Amino acid sequence: MVEPLQPGSTIGIIGGGQLGRMMGIAAKQMGFRIAVLDPTPNSPTAQIADIEIIGKYKDQEAAEQLLEASDVITYEFENIDYEVCQMLENKGHVPQGSELIRITQDRAFEKRAIERSGAQVVSYELVYSLNELKQSTQSIGFPCVLKTRRGGYDGKGQIIIREEADLLEATEILDQGPCILEQFLSFDKELSVIVTRSVNGEVTTFPVAENIHQVHILLQSIVPARVVPVLQEKALELAQQLAESMKMVGTLGVEMFMTEAGELYINEVAPRPHNSGHYTLDGCSTSQFEQHIRAITGWKLASTDNREAVVMMNVLGEHLEETISQIPEVQNAKLHLYGKDGVKPKRKMGHVNFLGKSTKELLNQINELTIWRQKS
């Protein structure tokens, strides 16, 4: 049994983005100090941190500084340096460990970990060349999706191959390194579950979110998900089984496809708080960020009860001006901005949680606003 870390201790965060910022805010409310390592000065996390260390994620010296300043270290995203994470794990206290990073940085390792947990994944094959891609498309069939095994997010590093004529276009993806070819699944809904496992083995899940994407970027998360209870329970069970199978510590975002027949396939996992879990900040008794801090510091995990219907809307660069103009007049809207410098289209600048008694009413309310209407 790991003894709880006492308030006044310092939590080191690798990565200075919005997830680190919201982790840090939750930790500071609990009485902890925050140190952050990020390459960019005045990052979103640094703005709320007690100690800012500026350095690249491969910078051993900067990592040693974080180690010296911290009682426990966590990370806010998976694309950190694996070797540096190993060093920190060997010399300090990194409850999530480096193995989780190794697995989730490579889609092939990730798929195998999901399969070991007993969950379904779509058919896939590993490909390294155009000839192998041609052979794999014959066994997987059209349409299919070619993805880089490492890197890539929000639709980057992937291409849908609908017919043989698309194969030449796919060489741009192959040139980026080893790839994975996946069956294109016709699904009815995209779902996600945020599961947390503590250093003492305690596990909790947050309610299932129904996710709507636009141009491969999450636009909207709806809770409760508009899915029959038996499938919601199945989704929660799959996420918990995966967390136990991987013996992960901290928070895991588990993304799933649901087919019309009611089958669930795990698509991807993320070893940290997840965009689709932002609804928990206002819609649940405990946020995913507080639960993550509790998990890595040995505190008892708290209730994840959903208090009322909630719809989370991402605020991208193109939404920011109208969000700032309109949301202050909306009583049931909770605005969270990330403190990022530079507004760019498709860049995540913040999110808004809309709370109410009915999902239908919330969706109608959001549609009446002009913030998220697609511009012609």
Side-chain angles (χ1 to χ4, degrees):
M1 177 72 76
V2 176
E3 291 297 317
L5 191 66
Q6 296 299 303
S9 303
T10 299
I11 297 174
I13 302 175
I14 305 173
Q18 64 264 25
L19 299 177
R21 178 190 181 93
M22 289 182 275
M23 270 187 213
I25 290 171
K28 289 180 79 71
Q29 287 175 334
M30 297 163 67
F32 294 108
R33 287 166 50 81
I34 297 298
V36 60
L37 167 60
D38 192 85
T40 306
N42 197 40
S43 65
T45 308
Q47 292 166 20
I48 60 92
D50 301 283
I51 300 168
E52 177 186 18
I53 300 166
I54 300 169
K56 295 180 180 180
Y57 300 128
K58 291 186 176 182
D59 186 335
Q60 292 268 349
E61 186 178 337
E64 293 273 7
Q65 290 178 44
L66 184 71
L67 182 64
E68 188 176 341
S70 307
D71 296 289
V72 62
I73 293 175
T74 185
Y75 38 79
E76 65 125 23
F77 74 138
E78 55 272 34
N79 292 320
I80 63 173
D81 187 82
Y82 171 62
E83 284 75 22
V84 167
C85 192
Q86 270 190 314
M87 179 274 289
L88 291 171
E89 182 182 16
N90 291 333
K91 292 186 175 182
H93 185 34
V94 186
Q96 290 156 284
S98 56
E99 179 63 10
L100 193 57
I101 287 292
R102 188 188 72 84
I103 291 170
T104 55
Q105 281 185 346
D106 188 307
R107 287 188 169 95
F109 300 161
E110 183 178 82
K111 283 278 193 289
R112 290 166 186 154
I114 294 168
E115 289 176 306
R116 283 195 297 271
S117 77
Q120 287 190 101
V121 297
V122 297
S123 299
Y124 69 93
E125 290 193 9
L126 307 184
V127 294
Y128 299 87
S129 67
L130 184 58
N131 283 336
E132 287 186 356
L133 176 60
K134 289 176 180 177
Q135 292 172 8
S136 293
T137 55
Q138 292 175 10
S139 54
I140 297 282
F142 297 111
C144 48
V145 185
L146 182 69
K147 300 178 180 178
T148 56
R149 281 174 54 177
R150 299 176 68 86
Y153 62 95
D154 290 344
K156 297 178 177 67
Q158 63 179 268
I159 185 173
I160 298 175
I161 302 174
R162 302 187 186 278
E163 56 186 23
E164 200 165 328
D166 295 332
L167 289 174
L168 284 177
E169 192 179 345
T171 56
E172 185 179 334
I173 302 297
L174 284 168
D175 288 344
Q176 296 177 36
C179 291
I180 185 168
L181 185 72
E182 299 178 3
Q183 173 193 2
F184 184 88
L185 186 70
S186 179
F187 58 87
D188 185 49
K189 290 184 188 296
E190 292 185 77
L191 308 175
S192 62
V193 175
I194 307 299
V195 57
T196 311
R197 184 173 180 271
S198 79
V199 290
N200 291 315
E202 188 182 5
V203 179
T204 61
T205 51
F206 286 91
V208 182
E210 175 186 346
N211 301 315
I212 311 295
H213 289 76
Q214 200 172 82
V215 198
H216 300 293
I217 300 174
L218 181 65
L219 175 71
Q220 181 181 77
S221 293
I222 301 166
V223 178
R226 295 169 295 182
V227 174
V228 295
V230 66
L231 285 178
Q232 291 197 41
E233 287 300 319
K234 180 62 176 176
L236 295 173
E237 180 184 331
L238 288 173
Q240 184 165 336
Q241 284 177 1
L242 181 57
E244 297 276 21
S245 173
M246 296 174 75
K247 291 186 168 46
M248 49 79 61
V249 171
T251 299
L252 193 71
V254 184
E255 297 181 80
M256 306 179 190
F257 294 134
M258 187 190 85
T259 67
E260 286 189 5
E263 290 185 293
L264 294 175
Y265 292 81
I266 294 183
N267 177 39
E268 290 182 346
V269 298
R272 35 74 177 173
H274 194 260
N275 194 171
S276 68
H278 290 353
Y279 76 88
T280 63
L281 279 161
D282 304 294
C284 292
S285 301
T286 308
S287 76
Q288 64 170 340
F289 301 101
E290 179 185 337
Q291 199 78 316
H292 178 76
I293 297 300
R294 285 175 170 270
I296 65 169
T297 57
W299 288 33
K300 286 285 293 179
L301 298 186
S303 169
T304 59
D305 289 348
N306 179 211
R307 297 187 292 210
E308 54 188 325
V310 54
V311 177
M312 187 282 298
M313 299 296 299
N314 261 339
V315 176
L316 305 181
E318 61 267 35
H319 305 137
L320 185 60
E321 186 176 344
E322 288 187 77
T323 297
I324 291 171
S325 171
Q326 295 181 41
I327 291 302
E329 298 294 327
V330 183
Q331 186 180 40
N332 63 321
K334 305 288 188 179
L335 176 62
H336 300 263
L337 293 180
Y338 303 151
K340 291 183 177 179
D341 289 332
V343 180
K344 300 176 185 175
K346 308 306 175 195
R347 190 181 193 199
K348 293 171 184 174
M349 306 303 296
H351 68 271
V352 182
N353 286 328
F354 291 84
L355 305 168
K357 295 179 181 178
S358 158
T359 297
K360 184 178 180 180
E361 289 177 6
L362 292 177
L363 293 174
N364 287 337
Q365 177 188 17
I366 291 164
N367 288 335
E368 287 173 4
L369 298 169
T370 61
I371 300 169
W372 293 278
R373 291 181 189 171
Q374 285 188 286
K375 307 296 188 290
S376 58

